[in-house]
């Protein structure tokens, strides 16, 4: 019976840790994408300003 509980806890723990890792990676990735988008829009704005 203890083995079953241990197995269940191990599965839950591994799932939670992988979710946390995934969440952290997604957070970092989305921040990078956001910075990229911001710099891109800034460049476009600068180009439009230079045209005028």
């Amino acid at each position: 019976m203890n083995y079953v509980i241990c197995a269940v806890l191990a599965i839950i723990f591994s799932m939670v840790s992988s979710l946390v890792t995934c969440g952290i990676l997604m957070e970092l990735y989305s921040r990078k994408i956001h910075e990229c988008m911001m710099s891109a829009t800034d460049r476009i704005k600068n180009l439009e300003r230079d045209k005028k």
Side-chain angles (χ1 to χ4, degrees):
M1 199 61 199
N2 280 347
Y3 294 118
V4 175
I5 294 166
C6 277
V8 169
L9 284 174
I11 291 165
I12 290 168
F13 184 72
S14 64
M15 281 171 68
V16 168
S17 60
S18 64
L19 276 173
V20 168
T21 308
C22 201
I24 291 166
L25 286 173
M26 287 292 284
E27 181 68 29
L28 290 170
Y29 198 61
S30 64
R31 220 174 273 165
K32 279 239 167 68
I33 291 169
H34 186 69
E35 282 171 17
C36 234
M37 294 281 283
M38 291 300 285
S39 62
T41 48
D42 283 350
R43 260 184 237 135
I44 291 165
K45 281 177 190 167
N46 288 341
L47 282 171
E48 285 174 357
R49 209 181 301 140
D50 289 347
K51 278 179 190 170
K52 291 173 187 174

